[in-house]
Amino acid sequence: MFDHLVGFSYSQVLRAAVESGLLDLLAKGPVSAGEVAQDIDLSEDAAMRLLKAARALDLAEEAQSDGWMLGQQGAVLQADPGTQAMIRHHRLLYSDLADPIDLLRRNRKEPTALSHYWSYAGALHGAAERGAETQEYSELMAASQRFVADEVIGAFRFPKQGSLLDVGGGHGEFIRRVGAAYPHIRLGLFDLPEVAEAARGPLAQSVGAERLTCHPGNFFENGIPQGYDIVSLIRILHDHDDEPAMALLRNIRASLSPGGRLLIAEPMAGIPGALAMGDAFFGLYLWAMGSGRPRSPDEVARMLRAAGFSRTRVVPTAQPVIASCIVAHA
């Protein structure tokens, strides 16, 4: 209970370590508290307070008297820019959760820090402008898709000579990683026109232009491209309320020939070992975002059957806290 009580402080220590540049400084260690203070513009007392807090979370360690270096968790975090991007992004959620009851009482269409961010970033998808928010969005998407892609590739066997279409695939991090693991699979990406166009060049360089097709379109307004063995929805379904989510599933079902499959991967509710991530984190995150909700595998399966899929199965993942998988058969 005490960890629940003070968890906000722990997350803010993470944020301070990332945003101040402390982790990068410790990677060059050992460094003294005085050097840390000078480098990140703190008093020596404040630097020591931050170092001790970081040590308590295994972000830092005092390898010798006043000689500070990265701890084990700090080394993992410092080497992973994507996770750092997620930590920086959560400042928006902290702002919206400053008064959680007020947030829950609001009309979901009222603007929040998160809804403003996703409205901005979702419209751009990193393609139309260059700036701090757009760069953060790109890093965040690459990081989160990489985490999920690794879970999916470790759990699901793609057809070696088959074809995969990623719907709402953004910059293409998911199919990039699948393409590296399965060098002969044909790949497709379906997203908004400006997104698909921006992804085309970098993706072709990564996976080969001869095996890649980028399809422009809106998955609520246009038909899903046909001719693929597998269609994937990676962290897409839970972003949408039930009515648009059902429309999307029916659209995908209409595109699949008999024997085709839909692969859904995202954090889900009601998963043993990941209950807090599903309902406590994503439940409030998506509420603040103004759209979507975490669903249990049973809820997703019922929606899939209502959309016309014949059967579904859960594919266990090593880290369900990151993503759970459901496969639906046409």
Side-chain angles (χ1 to χ4, degrees):
M1 177 55 67
F2 191 77
D3 274 340
H4 292 327
L5 176 67
V6 301
F8 179 79
S9 295
Y10 298 161
S11 63
Q12 294 296 69
V13 172
L14 283 174
R15 178 181 174 183
V18 168
E19 292 189 347
S20 68
L22 175 64
L23 295 177
D24 293 333
L25 181 60
L26 294 177
K28 303 171 186 176
V31 293
S32 68
E35 291 174 292
V36 170
Q38 183 174 8
D39 193 85
I40 65 175
D41 193 26
L42 293 176
S43 70
E44 192 163 334
D45 282 348
M48 182 60 77
R49 190 66 59 97
L50 178 58
L51 284 166
K52 288 181 176 180
R55 179 176 62 187
L57 300 185
D58 197 24
L59 301 176
E61 64 177 55
E62 193 175 11
Q64 61 194 48
S65 180
D66 199 27
W68 295 85
M69 301 178 65
L70 289 171
Q72 284 189 323
Q73 295 289 346
V76 171
L77 181 56
Q78 192 272 337
D80 193 339
T83 305
Q84 295 179 45
M86 295 176 73
I87 290 169
R88 288 192 293 269
H89 169 71
H90 282 161
R91 71 184 184 277
L92 303 174
L93 181 60
Y94 302 154
S95 173
D96 289 335
L97 286 179
D99 187 339
I101 296 301
D102 177 67
L103 176 67
L104 291 166
R105 285 173 175 160
R106 287 188 194 182
N107 184 309
R108 290 194 72 191
K109 300 307 178 185
E110 288 185 38
T112 63
L114 270 179
S115 68
H116 171 76
Y117 173 82
W118 284 116
S119 174
Y120 166 86
L124 295 180
H125 273 230
E129 291 185 13
R130 291 290 179 264
E133 284 193 62
T134 308
Q135 179 62 28
E136 178 184 310
Y137 175 83
S138 300
E139 292 176 1
L140 184 65
M141 287 299 95
S144 57
Q145 292 296 69
R146 173 171 57 80
F147 294 149
V148 177
D150 289 348
E151 288 302 307
V152 173
I153 292 169
F156 179 78
R157 182 174 297 176
F158 290 87
K160 292 183 179 179
Q161 302 291 335
S163 56
L164 166 68
L165 174 69
D166 192 26
V167 171
H171 292 82
E173 185 65 22
F174 179 71
I175 60 172
R176 179 182 288 111
R177 297 184 82 82
V178 173
Y182 292 84
H184 301 295
I185 194 171
R186 183 167 61 88
L187 301 166
L189 182 143
F190 181 76
D191 212 312
L192 297 172
E194 64 271 26
V195 180
E197 185 57 37
R200 187 189 311 276
L203 266 181
Q205 287 188 332
S206 293
V207 304
E210 71 284 352
R211 57 194 290 231
L212 172 71
T213 305
C214 288
H215 303 273
N218 183 314
F219 53 58
F220 290 127
E221 299 174 1
N222 307 115
I224 304 297
Q226 300 181 2
Y228 288 89
D229 301 314
I230 299 174
V231 173
S232 57
L233 282 178
I234 308 301
R235 292 197 339 135
I236 296 292
L237 198 67
H238 71 352
D239 284 349
H240 299 285
D241 294 332
D242 289 350
E243 186 175 341
M246 281 300 305
L248 173 56
L249 293 177
R250 290 190 179 101
N251 197 5
I252 292 173
R253 175 62 188 88
S255 77
L256 287 170
S257 300
R261 290 176 287 174
L262 168 61
L263 170 65
I264 297 173
E266 61 190 27
M268 295 186 189
I271 302 295
L275 295 175
M277 180 62 76
D279 280 320
F281 176 72
F282 274 102
L284 290 180
Y285 186 100
L286 294 170
W287 184 275
M289 196 174 82
S291 177
R293 65 183 181 92
R295 299 177 177 90
S296 71
D298 285 345
E299 288 180 290
V300 175
R302 286 196 294 271
M303 293 173 71
L304 287 164
R305 288 192 293 271
F309 288 89
S310 61
R311 60 189 175 93
T312 65
R313 63 185 176 93
V314 174
V315 179
T317 58
Q319 295 285 349
V321 71
I322 294 174
S324 296
C325 290
I326 292 181
V327 176
H329 296 255

